[in-house]
Amino acid sequence: MRIRRVTAHAFGHLREQTLPLADGLTVVYGPNESGKSTWHAALLAALCGRWPSRGRDEPGIERRRPWAGSEWRVSAEIVLADGRRVEVWHDLDARYGYAKDLDRVADYSGEITGPGRGEVPDASRWLGLDRRAFVATACVRQSHLVLAAEDAAGVRGYVERAASTALADETVAAALDRIDSFHREQVGTERSKTRPLPVAHRRRAEAEAALRAARAGQAELEECEAEARHWRASAQAALARLRRREAALARAEAQRLRARATQARELADLVAREDALVASPVGGSSSGPALTSATEVAAAVEAWRATVAVAPPAPPAVPAVTPATGPAAGGLSAVPAVAPRVSSGATVAPSAPSGDAAVAPVSPAVPAVIPPEPSPVPASGPASGRRRSVPLFVAAGLFLVLAAVLVGLGATIAGVAAGLAALVAGAVGLFHRGRESALTAASRSAAPPSQPETRLQASVVMPPASVTTMIQPSVAMTQPSVSAPIQPAPPTVDDAVVVAQQRFREWEERLGRAERRVLAVAGQLGLSGESAADAVRDLEAWLAADRDRQAARERSAAHRARLEALLDGTSITQLEAAADRAQERAAAAELEAEQAEQEAGQAGPAAERAGQVGPPPADGPDSTVDDDVEALRRQHQEADRQATLAEQAVATLRQDRPSVAEAEEQLAAAEAECRRLEVLDDVLTRTRAFLARAQERVHRDIAPQLAAAVGRDLAAVTAGRYTETVVDTNTLAVQVRGAGGPLRDVEHLSVGTVEQVYLLVRVALAERLVRPGESCPLLLDDVTVHADQDRTRRLLDTLLTVAERHQVVLFTQQEQVRQWARTTLTGPHHALHELTTLAPA
């Protein structure tokens, strides 16, 4: 490859300027600020273009942006070994370029453009290099003669390729580099924490830890789920017991309500019957005005009976006596005649005739007609018996009510005792009622006769014994057959008769008033008795019926009070409805209990441990049904709370717990990745070892060639001071040896010698790295700045020799070099260009 010219369209301070180059050695001389380094950078930019944006830009190009305007362009005309004349053009700002044939329409950009993104045409690729290797070997910037580490890395592969594969595209070193790069990027070592193999090992360890944690979490979750099932089963079992108890209570409540409703209905029927009995009329006309109370009726009857009971004896009926002489006749004529009241049931003695036969002798053998003594009603008679039987019946009813209430409340023994007391009171009441009936019958049979009979009996009552005794002597005196002397009569006989008659009349008046009162009361009650005795019997019947009605009223009040106590502000229908609702609650509670038992049974073994929550409390002497239900409710609430907490913990664990299956899959993937990388690491290690052994052989082949080339030119430059060199093809480190002396590292020599040695190394590399048939142009900028006059002349002579094989472009500011060029460079094969100092901008 030969560069015919380079044109700076807009590059640094250069604008549309062209620098022609000779095929051999071209010396470009100029003082400082003349643009030598700018043209050196323009040559590099015209051949290789601008580095890709992702890569490291070549600083010699980046500092040469145009001073004015926005365009940044450069081009060069080159001639290849096959005779093609090509123009390489670059728009450096746009990172765009092309390579076209100047003789015919052809575009060669594809031949020299790399596959990477942002690549531009690179003419060094026609030499078998790239821009990095071209800069490291053929393009030497000012004061950059010594090869840096990156320069050595850039050309090492080309050196090995040139030695091992006869300039093939690949070398052992490149393969090793690629293996190392691939190993470093795709495998790595344990020291590189971010590379795949240590990352895979770390991921495998993390996956193993995650799997252990997942399994531990799974065990914890299973334990927590078992605990949750246990508490849920306990809660359901407690709920079942609670519902069973509530159902039993509801059934008992329904039974009590139904019993209350039944008892209330019976009491309502009793109240209705008693009310009907109270409302029924008693005797007489039911439409008559109720103007008389039972007290008044009883007073009237008692007054009549008391009057009858104290009836006095009737005064004697004294017959009319014929006037006679003597004191006896005068005494008897003074006794008034008494017209006694005869009752209808008494027998009346015939009145004696007048005359001598009027006074018949009264013989003691002749029975006297004595009126029956009225039997007074004893205090223990019907009235008193009736008064004692009614309270007993009331007491019996109250005891029955108390027994029913106690049985309803569950106090069975007390209820039975109250019932027995009711039976005893009822029996005693019945006994007194029977005695009352018997006494009533006896009193009626012994009652005084009716008013006419009473009056009749009173009219025929015999005089008392005193009167009879007083009369008998006078009567005996009238009988001639009586021989006993007549005793004189007591002087008080007339007075006693008068008193008896007066008392009898008063009694009759009282009896009349009593009869009228009785009849009036009977009339007010609508009773139509023909006599006072009939009225008294009717009134007593009325009083008996009134007592029954009063007893019925009292029983009705007792039944009504008991009914109100049973109803407690409700009705029988409401009680029955409440009983139905209680029965429904019992059925619902039973159903819920069955469901709870089924759910508890579904928990499996946890259901067997449900009793651990606590059995239902036993009924003790101080426990009640409410306490029992409340204890069961507390058990259920506590078990439900524990179950809820356990289920929440299960949900939290299930949400946060990693899946065991996923952890196993991740561990399997991590282990597979580790195995793959370990196998790859082993393969790459083995391959690299094999290639390293091959590389050693390559180095043994290329190293002597480079050492011979550098040693030949170095002996000429140093005038035989250093005749032998050793080049490390791996690092491009150079050692030199003088005649019979030891090898010394070139870094230990002077700066000028080091630069001269590495310049010769670059020349030797450039000759051996290019493709066969191609020559690499050398672009050198002030490479003799640290050489003395003798070494500068010998170095320029060496470069003139090199220019016979390669195109050499030397930029310099040394006057010695310009003078050498003026005297040495003759003919069209070489050229000297002298630049002038730029005008101030």
Side-chain angles (χ1 to χ4, degrees), residues 259-268 270-271 394-409 415 418-419 422 553-570 572 575:
R260 284 177 59 190
T262 302
Q263 190 174 3
R265 194 174 295 280
E266 293 175 355
L267 288 175
L270 289 176
V271 168
V394 173
L398 292 177
F399 276 120
L400 284 177
V401 173
L402 179 61
V405 173
L406 291 175
V407 171
L409 293 177
R553 185 178 295 107
E554 293 175 357
R555 290 194 301 273
S556 175
H559 294 332
R560 192 179 303 277
R562 184 181 173 190
L563 177 62
E564 291 177 355
L566 285 176
L567 293 179
D568 193 16
T570 62
I572 298 176
L575 282 178

Side-chain angles (χ1 to χ4, degrees), residues 485-826:
I486 300 174
Q487 297 294 333
T492 60
V493 172
D494 294 338
D495 294 337
V497 171
V498 172
V499 170
Q501 290 177 348
Q502 182 64 30
R503 288 180 179 176
F504 190 79
R505 284 194 297 270
E506 292 176 357
W507 172 81
E508 282 184 337
E509 290 176 359
R510 289 200 304 274
L511 181 62
R513 287 195 298 271
E515 288 177 348
R516 287 192 297 274
R517 183 179 178 184
V518 167
L519 292 174
V521 170
Q524 290 178 357
L525 294 177
L527 302 176
S528 58
E530 295 180 358
S531 63
D534 295 337
V536 167
R537 284 193 297 271
D538 294 340
L539 289 177
E540 287 179 345
W542 184 92
L543 285 174
D546 184 71
R547 284 192 295 273
D548 293 340
R549 189 164 56 251
Q550 183 63 28
R553 185 178 295 107
E554 293 175 357
R555 290 194 301 273
S556 175
H559 294 332
R560 192 179 303 277
R562 184 181 173 190
L563 177 62
E564 291 177 355
L566 285 176
L567 293 179
D568 193 16
T570 62
S571 63
I572 298 176
T573 305
Q574 291 175 343
L575 282 178
E576 292 176 346
D580 295 337
R581 289 193 298 270
Q583 191 66 33
E584 293 175 358
R585 288 199 307 273
E590 286 289 348
L591 180 60
E592 190 172 355
E594 292 177 359
Q595 294 176 353
E597 289 175 352
Q598 292 178 359
E599 293 178 2
Q602 291 174 358
E608 299 176 359
R609 301 194 298 270
Q612 298 175 1
V613 177
D619 293 336
D622 298 332
S623 64
T624 62
V625 174
D626 294 336
D627 294 337
D628 190 1
V629 173
E630 186 62 26
L632 291 175
R633 184 175 289 108
R634 286 195 300 270
Q635 289 181 8
H636 170 252
Q637 291 175 353
E638 177 63 21
D640 185 73
R641 186 181 67 84
Q642 294 292 342
T644 302
L645 292 177
E647 289 169 354
Q648 291 176 353
V650 168
T652 302
L653 289 176
R654 186 177 289 114
Q655 182 178 2
D656 299 337
R657 177 190 61 86
S659 173
V660 176
E662 293 179 359
E664 291 176 347
E665 292 178 359
Q666 292 176 359
L667 177 60
E671 290 178 345
E673 181 66 13
C674 285
R675 287 194 298 270
R676 184 186 70 80
L677 290 175
E678 288 170 354
V679 171
L680 181 60
D681 180 46
D682 182 67
V683 171
L684 291 177
T685 301
R686 292 175 180 272
T687 302
R688 194 186 191 290
F690 175 77
L691 291 178
R693 291 192 296 270
Q695 185 186 34
E696 291 177 0
R697 291 193 300 270
V698 169
H699 288 173
R700 287 194 296 268
D701 294 339
I702 190 64
Q705 298 178 14
L706 291 176
V710 174
R712 182 186 65 245
D713 294 336
L714 181 61
V717 170
T718 62
R721 183 177 178 85
Y722 301 106
T723 58
E724 183 180 354
T725 59
V726 176
V727 180
D728 186 353
T729 56
N730 189 28
T731 62
L732 295 182
V734 181
Q735 291 178 321
V736 297
R737 186 203 306 261
L743 288 174
R744 298 179 184 275
D745 291 336
V746 72
E747 286 82 2
H748 296 164
L749 304 179
S750 65
V751 175
T753 303
V754 171
E755 291 182 353
Q756 295 159 15
V757 170
Y758 274 106
L759 175 61
L760 296 177
V761 170
R762 288 173 181 270
V763 172
L765 290 173
E767 288 181 345
R768 285 162 178 79
L769 295 184
V770 297
R771 296 177 185 275
E774 287 286 352
S775 63
C776 179
L778 300 176
L779 309 179
L780 310 177
D781 186 11
D782 273 337
V783 295
T784 61
V785 69
H786 292 105
D788 57 18
Q789 291 184 359
D790 292 338
R791 285 198 178 181
T792 299
R793 181 177 52 80
R794 286 192 294 270
L795 186 57
L796 291 175
D797 292 340
T798 301
L799 291 177
L800 185 59
T801 302
V802 173
E804 295 176 358
R805 302 186 301 272
H806 305 281
Q807 184 181 25
V808 179
V809 179
L810 175 62
F811 295 89
T812 183
Q813 50 86 24
Q814 291 181 294
E815 183 62 25
Q816 180 183 0
V817 176
R818 184 177 67 168
Q819 294 299 328
W820 178 87
R822 285 179 179 179
T823 59
T824 305
L825 299 180
T826 59

Side-chain angles (χ1 to χ4, degrees), residues 223-283:
E223 182 179 357
C224 191
E225 287 178 345
E227 183 180 2
R229 289 193 298 270
H230 158 66
W231 282 111
R232 182 53 62 190
S234 301
Q236 294 301 322
L239 179 62
R241 292 196 298 270
L242 175 61
R243 293 297 181 259
R244 294 289 187 191
R245 186 60 174 172
E246 290 178 347
L249 293 178
R251 284 195 299 270
E253 182 181 1
Q255 292 175 359
R256 287 195 300 271
L257 290 174
R258 293 192 188 282
R260 284 177 59 190
T262 302
Q263 190 174 3
R265 194 174 295 280
E266 293 175 355
L267 288 175
D269 294 340
L270 289 176
V271 168
R273 288 197 296 271
E274 299 294 344
D275 290 343
L277 179 60
V278 170
S280 63
V282 180

Side-chain angles (χ1 to χ4, degrees), residues 81-156:
D82 56 5
R84 291 181 295 175
R85 197 164 58 93
V86 179
E87 178 186 18
V88 181
W89 185 90
H90 288 281
D91 185 345
L92 300 177
D93 189 51
R95 297 184 186 273
Y96 167 73
Y98 61 84
K100 68 178 180 178
D101 196 321
L102 294 176
D103 297 327
R104 56 194 180 95
V105 180
D107 189 354
Y108 303 130
S109 301
E111 296 181 6
I112 57 175
T113 302
R117 189 183 61 170
E119 291 286 344
V120 295
D122 181 9
S124 65
R125 289 182 175 275
W126 276 317
L127 301 175
L129 303 175
D130 58 14
R131 58 173 58 89
R132 184 179 179 186
F134 183 79
V135 170
T137 57
C139 183
V140 181
R141 298 189 307 274
Q142 186 178 7
S143 300
H144 286 77
L145 289 175
V146 179
L147 289 171
E150 60 270 16
D151 298 329
V155 299
R156 184 171 59 247

